[in-house]
Amino acid sequence: MTDRRVVGLRERLLRAGITDRVIAPGYAEAPAVFDEHVDRAVRWFQQHKGLIVDGTVGTETETALNDAQYTLGDRPLFHQEGELLHGDDVEELQNNLSLLGFYYGHLDGTFTKKTEYAVKELQRSLGVECDGVVDLETLTGLARVSKKITTSKAFSLRDHQRLETLHEALRDRVVVLVPSRAITQMEPASAPAGFGAWQDAITYDVALRSYDLLRNVGAAPVLVDPDPQTPPSPDLGEEQDTGVHGGVMPRDVVASHTDVLRERPDALVLGLQCEWNSSPQAQGVSTFFWGAPGSGQPYSPIGQIASDKILRELVYRTGALDLGSHARQWSALRAAGTAAAWVALGYLSNDAEAQNLQRGSYRARVAESLLCGLQRVLVTETTPAATGTMSLADIQNYYRSEE
């Protein structure tokens, strides 16, 4: 591909940390050509950022590249009403503030009021002007005290505090269910034309079943559906409406989870998706949480625990292959601003898994796995039931005993 924008892409990749000088416009024979060097650099960047590695500069990669144009110290940082500053430099600042105990939020790379408050706390401790602006004087003081940072466990201290104070488990707990039709995402390059609709039908059905199970134990589930008047297609077969939900539409439906999370920052978010791979042998279930892809360090401890517990229940209850729980920097996880876990239910490119996901009884087991995984996150049991053995009746009995 030849495009003048490739020249700019080369420069942005260099500023984002690519060290291969052959991608520099001044070194390339044809700087406007998207050649193998640019492709390799894009894939390295995607791998480094925990994005889907496909060599395509789509929305996710474009956003990550924009964020990566700045490192801490390149520009003054401050809270700007209307158009918040965003970038890797802000995330690095939040990281340092979190490790020092001043910042108690997610490392989302956005200079919010919460970040400004943390900067002012730092400035007070440094004895410099307390204006919330990260200028040379503040950065110099931060560099001086940052040398004393020795722990890597101080990320998202607010999440740790929430985890320690959780009680009553799922009772009245807001759980936001996000099926794939409510997620802006790029379909796998090898997926057929009907993959998106097929995925949407499966994840929507699992979300409905999970919604009813959660209500049965006293939780407060919310379904995210941008078009509730139009049910997803295709029809999943005769078992589609014979499971837990019985075809009954949920009462709490929102077009976007933003408003819910603004009012209830203690909510848990569960995203649902299916996978596709060019190899029909690919199979298994996996979960994802907000964190550093390289080290696996969680930026949302509750999100990581939810991912781990749900994955264990899924594997034991469905017999699916365990593909692990992984840290990712996807915008969907990062933008949630609260504990979030993304669940990949299986590969529709694998005939056996596709047939399983077509069956209502299998999707019912998936929904039970989500419920029981969340129960294990929120309840410390003195004698916990073995993974895969907890039932809806067990959870209901737990709440009756608490009354």
Side-chain angles (χ1 to χ4, degrees):
M1 182 189 78
T2 301
D3 193 311
R4 287 183 300 174
R5 290 175 296 179
V6 177
V7 178
L9 174 62
R10 290 173 180 270
E11 295 173 343
R12 294 165 70 203
L13 286 167
L14 289 169
R15 289 196 297 269
I18 303 297
T19 58
D20 188 356
R21 295 194 350 176
V22 297
I23 70 165
Y27 281 83
E29 293 183 4
V33 175
F34 194 105
D35 57 23
E36 68 273 13
H37 299 295
V38 177
D39 179 74
R40 185 167 60 248
V42 169
R43 291 174 184 273
W44 179 92
F45 178 77
Q46 291 171 327
Q47 180 74 34
H48 178 66
K49 287 294 186 179
L51 305 173
I52 296 175
V53 182
D54 58 6
T56 301
V57 185
T59 304
E60 292 273 351
T61 303
E62 182 73 24
T63 300
L65 269 173
N66 290 338
D67 288 348
Q69 297 308 294
Y70 297 101
T71 57
L72 190 57
D74 284 350
R75 57 177 177 169
L77 297 175
F78 52 91
H79 181 255
Q80 180 174 275
E81 290 287 355
E83 189 173 348
L84 300 178
L85 294 182
H86 196 281
D88 283 7
D89 55 343
V90 180
E91 184 174 335
E92 185 179 352
L93 171 68
Q94 291 172 332
N95 180 13
N96 281 279
L97 292 170
S98 175
L99 291 170
L100 289 167
F102 295 117
Y103 182 71
Y104 298 92
H106 288 277
L107 309 183
D108 57 10
T110 303
F111 202 107
T112 59
K113 289 295 289 185
K114 185 182 295 185
T115 308
E116 182 184 52
Y117 295 147
V119 170
K120 288 182 177 180
E121 286 297 317
L122 170 69
Q123 290 172 328
R124 289 190 189 97
S125 70
L126 293 174
V128 300
E129 183 181 359
C130 184
D131 58 3
V133 177
V134 183
D135 53 15
L136 179 59
E137 187 178 22
T138 301
L139 284 173
T140 301
L142 178 62
R144 184 173 65 251
V145 298
S146 291
K147 295 176 183 178
K148 300 178 182 178
I149 298 173
T150 57
T151 178
S152 61
K153 297 295 185 180
F155 288 98
S156 299
L157 298 180
R158 183 71 69 195
D159 238 14
H160 281 294
Q161 291 177 351
R162 287 175 183 164
L163 187 59
E164 292 173 357
T165 58
L166 287 175
H167 60 90
E168 290 294 310
L170 288 169
R171 176 176 290 164
D172 298 325
R173 178 71 53 185
V174 176
V175 179
V176 183
L177 300 164
V178 189
S180 59
R181 67 186 270 162
I183 306 171
T184 301
Q185 57 182 345
M186 182 181 296
E187 294 185 6
S190 59
F195 169 77
W198 195 6
Q199 172 187 225
D200 289 350
I202 289 170
T203 59
Y204 187 77
D205 183 78
V206 170
L208 288 179
R209 294 173 187 272
S210 301
Y211 182 97
D212 274 2
L213 286 174
L214 287 163
R215 285 197 64 86
N216 282 338
V217 299
V222 177
L223 176 69
V224 180
D225 187 357
D227 188 12
Q229 303 305 316
T230 306
S233 60
D235 188 346
L236 293 177
E238 60 181 10
E239 287 192 276
Q240 181 178 11
D241 289 327
T242 60
V244 175
H245 68 85
V248 179
M249 287 301 298
R251 287 181 286 177
D252 297 309
V253 182
V254 296
S256 171
H257 61 271
T258 305
D259 293 338
V260 178
L261 298 180
R262 186 181 299 115
E263 296 177 4
R264 294 295 301 267
D266 60 337
L268 297 171
V269 178
L270 288 184
L272 305 174
Q273 65 185 64
C274 296
E275 303 276 23
W276 187 278
N277 192 283
S278 56
S279 170
Q281 303 303 316
Q283 60 179 306
V285 292
S286 53
T287 55
F288 305 90
F289 58 91
W290 172 231
S295 64
Q297 188 169 39
Y299 296 160
S300 171
I302 300 178
Q304 181 197 30
I305 295 171
S307 295
D308 292 345
K309 300 290 188 183
I310 288 172
L311 179 64
R312 289 182 60 189
E313 291 291 336
L314 272 173
V315 170
Y316 276 88
R317 290 173 183 273
T318 66
L321 182 65
D322 184 349
L323 296 182
S325 177
H326 308 280
R328 289 291 184 269
Q329 294 197 32
W330 297 341
S331 60
L333 290 168
R334 182 176 188 167
T338 188
W342 242 242
V343 185
L345 305 178
Y347 284 83
L348 296 181
S349 50
N350 182 286
D351 288 341
E353 289 200 338
Q355 290 173 14
N356 281 337
L357 289 166
Q358 282 281 112
R359 301 201 319 269
S361 57
Y362 184 88
R363 296 192 302 275
R365 290 203 298 275
V366 171
E368 290 170 0
S369 302
L370 300 179
L371 174 72
C372 294
L374 289 176
Q375 175 75 358
R376 291 183 182 279
V377 173
L378 300 170
V379 173
T380 301
E381 301 172 280
T382 54
T383 56
T387 301
T389 62
M390 185 183 293
S391 68
L392 175 61
D394 292 331
I395 299 176
Q396 290 172 327
N397 288 335
Y398 169 85
Y399 293 109
R400 292 192 187 102
S401 67
E402 293 291 306
E403 293 175 350

